[in-house]
Amino acid sequence: VLARVVRAVAGPAVVCGDFNIDRGSSLFGEFMTGTGLADAFKGNCPPTFRAEYLPAGRTPHCIDFILTADGARAETATVVFAGKELLPGGPAYVSDHVGLRAALVLMAGNQPLALDRHATEHVHVGGLAARLDGNAVSAIPDTRQCPR
């Protein structure tokens, strides 16, 4: 269903979130092939679900993605909230997921569009996304403390 929606978009698009499947799964491969999306991390994303929340013996994988369609590309991509943050109740993880952050460039053909002197960035943390335009934040990730 998501692949059909992505293919119907006429223009720049960003698909990001917790896919709950590993990059190496055939389902993810079919989705990427069927949509033509590009991975902001170019296949080098570290595990995004914390090992502490997995059953014993399970290996964490990258299950969260920032993907771009024609007309949008990731200029940079990095992880955020990888460690514990100082929260009101003390140091804790922001989420059971590591956050992903990408600076995005909107394109007109082969040329970047001049929107602002700041890149547009998307931050994704465990199913919650934020969009930052310059210094303005239109939504912020939930900062509920995780129990571990």
Side-chain angles (χ1 to χ4, degrees):
V1 173
L2 182 57
R4 190 170 46 244
V5 170
V6 171
R7 286 190 300 266
V9 172
V14 177
V15 179
C16 61
D18 176 3
F19 281 53
N20 278 326
I21 56 172
D22 178 39
R23 168 185 318 286
S25 78
S26 61
L27 183 60
F28 185 75
E30 291 170 15
F31 175 74
M32 293 296 287
T33 300
T35 59
L37 291 169
D39 180 4
F41 282 82
K42 298 176 176 68
N44 295 314
C45 183
T48 57
F49 192 76
R50 298 185 191 285
E52 297 95 319
Y53 296 94
L54 292 172
R58 298 279 310 268
T59 304
H61 298 279
C62 180
I63 61 172
D64 300 86
F65 302 95
I66 299 176
L67 310 171
T68 59
D70 291 340
R73 69 173 171 78
E75 191 170 77
T76 62
T78 187
V79 296
V80 293
F81 306 122
K84 292 185 177 181
E85 300 289 327
L86 185 57
L87 300 175
Y93 292 124
V94 174
S95 172
D96 53 351
H97 292 250
V98 173
L100 303 179
R101 178 178 182 168
L104 305 173
V105 176
L106 299 179
M107 306 293 288
N110 291 332
Q111 299 297 316
L113 292 173
L115 298 174
D116 192 307
R117 65 180 190 85
H118 299 287
T120 298
E121 296 182 331
H122 278 70
V123 178
H124 167 75
V125 181
L128 303 165
R131 179 179 173 162
L132 299 95
D133 293 316
N135 294 324
V137 179
S138 58
I140 58 172
D142 186 357
T143 55
R144 291 175 290 166
Q145 287 185 334
C146 293
R148 295 190 181 160

